[in-house]
Amino acid sequence: MKRDRRRTSGRELLGLVPVLLVVGGLSIAALVDALASSISAEGSDAVGLAVFRTVLGLPGFWASFWFSLYVALSGTLLATAGAVVLGHRWCTRPRGRRTAQTLLHFNLGVPHLVWAVALVALLSPSGWLSRVTSLLGLDSGIDGFPVLVNDPYGIGIVLHLASKELPFVLLATLPLTGVATRRSLAQGATLGAGTASQIRHIYLPAIAPVLIPATIASFAFGLGGYEPGAALGVQRPRTLAVVALEWFRSPDLTMRHRAFAVAVVLMATVALASVVLLAMTRSWWTMRATPHRREGVRA
Amino acid sequence: MQITRRTFATLALGAFLAACAESASSADRSAVSSGPVPSDWDAVLSEARGQTVNWYLWGGSESINRFVDDTYGPVLRDRYGITLNRVPIADTVDAVNQVLADDQANNPRGAVDLIWINGENFSTLRDAGLLLDGWARALPNASLVDWANTAVNRDFGVEVGDLESPWSSAQFQLVYDTARTNVDELPRSYAQLLDWACAHPGRFTYIAPGPGAFQGTRFVKGALFEISGDASQWQQFDQALWDRWAPELWEYLHGLSACAWRNGETYPKDEAELHRLFANGEVDFTITQAAVGASALIADGLVPTTAKAFVFDHNSIGDFNYVAIPGNASNKAAAMVLANLLLDPSMQAAQIVPANGFGLGYAIDPAQVTEPAARRALDEAAAALGSGAADPSEMAAALVGDAAAPYQDLVESGWRRELVGGL
Amino acid sequence: MLVLGVQAVSVRWFFPEVIPHSLTLQPLRSTVTDPNVASSFVTGLCLSLAVTSVAIVLAWPAARTLAGVGRGLGAAVVGVLFLPSLLPAVGLAMGVDVMLIRLGLAGTFVGVLLAHLVPTLPYVVAVLTAAFARRDQRIEAQAATLGAGPLQRLRLVTVPSMRGALMVGAALGFVVSWSQYTMTLLAGSGRVVTLTMVLFAALSGGSPSTVAVLSLLVALPAGALLAAAGRMSGDPS
């Protein structure tokens, strides 16, 4: 209502140019580069899918792929679910919210690398938690403590992604949990809707415009982030991001084509996952009674 | 009040921006240099005065960083008027890529003046023709180096020629904790190690071979040497020889992994991770390359004070570390002065003293040093090796040279394929 | 994080000790006085401040326009801006690096600054756009009626009314830039060394105490800044 609906002048549109040039220019160039490099054959100008065939045919590629996909999906799912439950709770029972919010902001500021280091110090079999449990006689020392980081099931990476992306998703969706949303939730409660029903029919549709991009962004990081896999992963299988960076930095320049081929595979996976997610959540969009304005674009 | 506060803020901002400008431009600062000739050493010294030498070296060990800054920095500044700019890199490959990038960009004033380099990275730059030639053996202190020794004049089997000057030496050793393991029970060969590991399931592991983890590669090569029965045959590259022995190597390592930490499902990715496992009692051995054995690790607080190094009876791979000057270096004269300083007997003595935290061995042959003060310095250093060091005579008896460079990649990619079956 | 805090003031703190046998400031002192830590800290600080400033300057007009344009164009622009967040980080960093090499900017301060803008700008634009959309434009119109010129309006009306959003946007921009590892590693070619890079190098061979001190040096400023910004932006109700 405060926003006037006059036509945007050409001069104002000019203001968008530098931002689009830097962000769009560089990231689209990066995309094109990745594509171009991955379809040019090693050591020749011929264009083709030879590099993809090589990479996809390498022993262990699919193990790494499924492993990367699994940790990214699990981490994102946990983070998003946690963010939704916690965000809904904050709307209905705001007690302790301020402290929690400050803590989550703090967590958001901690770089991934440091968070991973902290997880190792806490959760490794000789880490602090294990020292406490063995002091208390809860297990038989190092051997008795479960392997939670650098483990073959990727528990460490999933924990990392979940704990680091939850604040991101939650804080991104907060601007959409204003008075209107809370009023709808209160009405729902009066009409007898349980927590699950409130979340499903009121809360999710309200935050969907930010929740969905934020979820995709955390999935993209889960799949393509280097730090978690490097610090918390195992040697078999390594995440594709770790492999891609190692190949990219190899002095053997033909490995760069392979690195870009992996990058393209990762990008395609994110794109596919986005399409699936959007299709799955279509009902939320149609359910939205009052379309929100762009207040919440800070995803 | 308002005005003074604003003035203060402006001044502070100005000072900060100046600091920023300094840090932003330091990456690009350099002077064009013609190629100095080390045979005219005085000319080199005068050209070097006032230059900044950009030394790219692995920055993962803060004790090495400190040693470099505190030992060479002041001497370069006070004696030669040279500023030392140590550029820490996570992996020597980064320096190689920098030189390649400068070359591709036709940048005659390259960013890298001196690299701490070895093996594969050396042969990459050597084959690309990007290293300065004809200087190393003409340095004044090069006369102290035993150039006739194949361990010196070949770097991973590659002819060193006049492209590299040695800095220090390293030898593969294992470290145990005297408080945990009895010295009589230590395995003294790869065969015994397998028995030991299976008698103590889950208590042994090694570093996954790969870029940035050459100690792991070296462990595997040592096994290859023992299994094939002759270390010297690996000095020359021979694909048929590799094909003959590789299956037995993988068979041995599979046997080892069945008894290893986490059943060999995963391996520590670098030195730091293995040290952490060892220090916290998850495994009973770690790996070091230092002349002072575990002493430097103890001083650094990485391992318990009761840690001590030991070697197998045979096939303990040792090598020399070198520095090289890229052909497009901006400050070649200063780089030569630094390379010469590294070989100075007093500096060589300083580098083996555990308290100094560097802990790698000599590059020079101490027997060639006759000057009395320098002799004394070397003798005192040798007497101060510390409780963590392995027996020097056992080390000398077990020492063998490293395999030719092409084996490096065969071992690393083969290990990844055979042992972890993945990318 | 607390475990790291204790780790930072102890040496040889090994299993099974739940609390260290002794506390010492030695690792803290030696790490902080390391000239490379100091210089990388300054480099990182300068870089992130520069990135933040440039991001604010570029984002300001864009956000102003975005807050006023129709839904279709707005969505398209937002889509482009958030493209980098939706790309896998490693792939994006590799592509940007190749681009910078082509531009001759790899390994320079400016190159890394550009690279950092890619993940940073979208957040700053988003925060400012939201604030512009919520802002009451009548005050500005009143100021104009009262004869205030464009610069005066900007200084006296627009900027003060956007103060909170500017602070939050700056904090967010700073933190995103400060935390970059892969991007700095590739775009900086080992020549632009920030504290995060020093931490990664220490991880491969440094003592646990040093790693802990460096981790805290990297994390505390960023965490505290965001926590403060979060408090400032306050409750959205």
Side-chain angles (χ1 to χ4, degrees):
Chain A
M1 317 337 102
K2 289 170 215 153
R3 191 162 42 105
D4 55 346
R5 291 260 175 208
R6 77 203 150 78
R7 284 182 63 83
T8 314
S9 73
R11 211 174 119 229
E12 282 176 312
L13 286 180
L14 221 58
L16 293 171
V17 171
V19 171
L20 287 178
L21 210 62
V22 173
V23 178
L26 276 177
S27 52
I28 290 169
L31 254 171
V32 172
D33 254 324
L35 270 173
S37 181
S38 61
I39 58 170
S40 63
E42 299 177 8
S44 84
D45 288 334
V47 170
L49 296 175
V51 182
F52 280 102
R53 262 197 294 276
T54 313
V55 169
L56 267 52
L58 286 174
F61 174 86
W62 290 106
S64 278
F65 175 81
W66 292 118
F67 182 72
S68 309
L69 187 65
Y70 143 75
V71 292
L73 275 179
S74 324
T76 309
L77 205 67
L78 285 175
T80 304
V84 168
V85 170
L86 201 58
H88 172 258
R89 203 192 143 82
W90 279 0
C91 278
T92 50
R93 265 175 295 177
R95 249 190 74 208
R97 171 177 172 170
R98 215 171 145 71
T99 319
Q101 205 172 324
T102 305
L103 278 176
L104 290 184
H105 267 113
F106 182 83
N107 168 294
L108 193 61
V110 174
H112 279 280
L113 186 55
V114 175
W115 193 250
V117 171
L119 278 181
V120 171
L122 185 67
L123 297 177
S124 74
S126 55
W128 193 75
L129 210 58
S130 164
R131 297 177 196 199
V132 172
T133 56
S134 81
L135 181 77
L136 298 175
L138 294 177
D139 61 36
S140 52
I142 289 171
D143 299 332
F145 195 77
V147 181
L148 295 177
V149 292
N150 307 116
D151 63 295
Y153 305 107
I155 299 171
I157 307 179
V158 171
L159 278 177
H160 173 100
L161 291 174
S163 57
K164 200 74 183 62
E165 298 298 338
L166 186 151
F168 170 73
V169 176
L170 178 57
L171 295 172
T173 50
L174 274 190
L176 291 189
T177 62
V179 186
T181 309
R182 270 182 253 176
R183 201 175 293 142
S184 312
L185 284 172
Q187 282 166 0
T190 323
L191 294 174
T195 308
S197 170
Q198 279 179 35
I199 290 181
R200 172 91 182 77
H201 296 289
I202 303 167
Y203 188 70
L204 280 181
I207 62 169
V210 172
L211 182 69
I212 290 164
T215 301
I216 297 174
S218 35
F219 176 71
F221 184 83
L223 202 60
Y226 171 75
E227 295 97 326
L232 301 162
V234 282
Q235 294 296 327
R236 172 183 61 186
R238 299 193 291 177
T239 64
L240 283 183
V242 171
V243 174
L245 197 68
E246 184 183 306
W247 287 353
F248 184 74
R249 298 177 73 209
S250 162
D252 177 0
L253 290 177
T254 59
M255 296 302 276
R256 285 200 171 195
H257 297 290
R258 296 189 181 185
F260 274 116
V262 173
V264 170
V265 169
L266 293 176
M267 288 174 191
T269 311
V270 174
L272 193 68
S274 313
V275 172
V276 170
L277 184 67
L278 285 174
M280 275 167 51
T281 54
R282 264 181 66 180
S283 59
W284 298 351
W285 295 88
T286 49
M287 235 189 280
R288 284 159 56 74
T290 47
H292 281 258
R293 293 190 316 277
R294 262 179 313 282
E295 276 173 46
V297 277
R298 55 177 296 202
Chain B
M1 184 62 198
Q2 189 66 34
I3 287 171
T4 47
R5 197 193 277 172
R6 188 171 286 181
T7 317
F8 177 76
T10 314
L11 278 177
L13 187 69
F16 188 74
L17 286 179
C20 285
E22 169 73 13
S23 99
S25 67
S26 67
D28 312 323
R29 186 178 45 212
S30 52
V32 187
S33 151
S34 55
V37 190
S39 53
D40 185 358
W41 192 243
D42 288 335
V44 172
L45 288 179
S46 66
E47 188 183 331
R49 192 164 286 278
Q51 288 186 340
T52 293
V53 56
N54 297 296
W55 187 8
Y56 280 53
L57 69 169
W58 176 68
S61 157
E62 75 263 25
S63 57
I64 292 181
N65 296 344
R66 191 167 296 273
F67 175 77
V68 167
D69 290 338
D70 295 352
T71 312
Y72 306 123
V75 179
L76 281 176
R77 186 184 60 229
D78 300 339
R79 204 186 292 170
Y80 302 107
I82 294 170
T83 309
L84 171 63
N85 178 32
R86 176 174 62 78
V87 183
I89 45 182
D91 192 307
T92 306
V93 162
D94 297 339
V96 172
N97 284 334
Q98 183 61 51
V99 174
L100 289 171
D102 280 337
D103 181 61
Q104 276 161 11
N106 283 320
N107 183 359
R109 309 192 311 175
V112 187
D113 294 323
L114 195 69
I115 316 176
W116 179 16
I117 199 166
N118 227 189
E120 206 180 357
N121 291 308
F122 167 62
S123 63
T124 301
L125 286 182
R126 176 186 184 270
D127 294 347
L130 294 177
L131 290 176
L132 188 67
D133 196 3
W135 61 278
R137 296 186 192 215
L139 295 176
N141 284 331
S143 61
L144 303 174
V145 174
D146 181 10
W147 290 100
N149 185 341
T150 51
V152 175
N153 64 35
R154 299 187 85 90
D155 182 355
F156 285 81
V158 177
E159 200 75 53
V160 164
D162 217 354
L163 299 165
E164 285 186 316
S165 175
W167 175 18
S168 56
S169 57
Q171 186 172 348
F172 182 91
Q173 302 150 67
L174 292 175
V175 173
Y176 72 108
D177 187 347
T178 53
R180 259 187 269 161
T181 312
N182 195 321
V183 64
D184 305 326
E185 295 163 8
L186 295 177
R188 293 293 183 169
S189 67
Y190 282 91
Q192 287 179 21
L193 175 66
L194 179 58
D195 295 340
W196 187 95
C198 290
H200 306 81
R203 304 297 300 171
F204 178 81
T205 191
Y206 54 96
I207 303 165
F214 63 95
Q215 300 92 337
T217 314
R218 194 156 277 190
F219 171 82
V220 174
K221 283 185 201 160
L224 178 66
F225 290 1
E226 180 174 312
I227 290 165
S228 66
D230 175 16
S232 62
Q233 61 184 329
W234 298 96
Q235 287 282 322
Q236 304 290 327
F237 179 67
D238 177 358
Q239 182 71 41
L241 188 68
W242 169 256
D243 295 340
R244 157 78 184 79
W245 291 106
E248 289 185 40
L249 175 64
W250 306 139
E251 192 189 325
Y252 169 81
L253 291 174
H254 275 302
L256 191 59
S257 81
C259 299
W261 178 72
R262 301 265 186 95
N263 304 317
E265 277 179 344
T266 189
Y267 294 83
K269 65 182 167 310
D270 54 26
E271 234 183 319
E273 197 178 340
L274 183 57
H275 291 331
R276 183 168 59 75
L277 295 177
F278 170 71
N280 289 305
E282 290 195 50
V283 297
D284 286 330
F285 297 106
T286 186
I287 292 172
T288 185
Q289 298 252 80
V292 299
S295 296
L297 301 175
I298 294 171
D300 260 8
L302 285 162
V303 300
T305 48
T306 45
K308 187 172 169 60
F310 74 103
V311 288
F312 289 167
D313 293 336
H314 303 286
N315 299 312
S316 159
I317 299 178
D319 69 349
F320 283 76
N321 293 289
Y322 303 84
V323 289
I325 304 175
N328 61 14
S330 304
N331 305 289
K332 296 191 183 75
M336 286 177 191
V337 174
L338 175 51
N340 188 57
L341 180 67
L342 298 181
L343 294 171
D344 190 289
S346 63
M347 298 289 137
Q348 290 280 311
Q351 75 190 23
I352 72 162
V353 176
N356 291 345
F358 182 63
L360 293 184
Y362 296 136
I364 56 172
D365 176 6
Q368 311 259 3
V369 178
T370 49
E371 200 261 318
R375 248 306 6 123
R376 208 164 42 244
L378 291 175
D379 292 342
E380 281 169 12
L385 277 179
S387 66
D391 182 334
S393 59
E394 286 181 12
M395 282 175 71
L399 176 67
V400 292
D402 208 325
Y407 291 119
Q408 182 94 354
D409 189 47
L410 287 176
V411 166
E412 289 175 357
S413 59
W415 183 86
R416 191 152 281 292
R417 188 183 61 242
E418 299 290 334
L419 267 294
V420 302
L423 296 178
Chain C
M1 293 301 295
L2 282 177
V3 176
L4 285 185
V6 180
Q7 185 89 267
V9 290
S10 59
V11 285
R12 294 194 205 95
W13 180 32
F14 300 137
F15 193 89
E17 294 172 350
V18 172
I19 38 176
H21 50 85
S22 65
L23 296 182
T24 165
L25 287 178
Q26 194 269 328
L28 189 65
R29 203 177 310 126
S30 70
T31 307
V32 174
T33 53
D34 184 331
N36 260 287
V37 171
S39 78
S40 65
F41 187 84
V42 172
T43 306
L45 197 65
C46 291
L47 180 66
S48 296
L49 285 177
V51 169
T52 310
S53 320
V54 175
I56 294 269
V57 170
L58 293 185
W60 181 273
R64 204 175 174 138
T65 309
L66 267 181
V69 296
R71 234 185 134 73
L73 179 62
V77 172
V78 170
V80 173
L81 284 185
F82 281 93
L83 186 63
S85 317
L86 305 183
L87 290 178
V90 168
L92 180 68
M94 287 169 8
V96 169
D97 181 39
V98 169
M99 197 64 206
L100 288 177
I101 291 175
R102 206 163 290 155
L103 293 172
L105 289 173
T108 68
F109 190 83
V110 177
V112 182
L113 192 150
L114 265 179
H116 276 205
L117 280 176
V118 175
T120 308
L121 257 177
Y123 292 95
V124 181
V125 172
V127 171
L128 293 187
T129 306
F132 267 121
R134 271 201 298 267
R135 181 181 57 119
D136 190 346
Q137 291 188 335
R138 280 168 301 187
I139 306 180
E140 245 173 275
Q142 277 168 7
T145 324
L146 292 174
L151 270 178
Q152 253 181 321
R153 285 207 302 270
L154 183 70
R155 196 165 68 84
L156 295 174
V157 181
T158 320
V159 170
S161 75
M162 294 283 290
R163 215 175 137 173
L166 276 174
M167 297 281 201
V168 173
L172 208 57
F174 181 88
V175 167
V176 172
S177 157
W178 181 257
S179 319
Q180 293 297 322
Y181 169 70
T182 322
M183 206 61 132
T184 322
L185 174 77
L186 296 186
S189 318
R191 273 205 276 179
V192 179
V193 181
T194 65
L195 201 58
T196 317
M197 317 278 303
V198 173
L199 170 62
F200 215 91
L203 273 178
S204 68
S207 75
S209 321
T210 310
V211 168
V213 173
L214 286 173
S215 299
L216 294 178
L217 278 180
V218 171
L220 289 182
L225 199 60
L226 265 202
R231 290 228 150 209
M232 204 159 54
S233 68
D235 198 304
S237 60

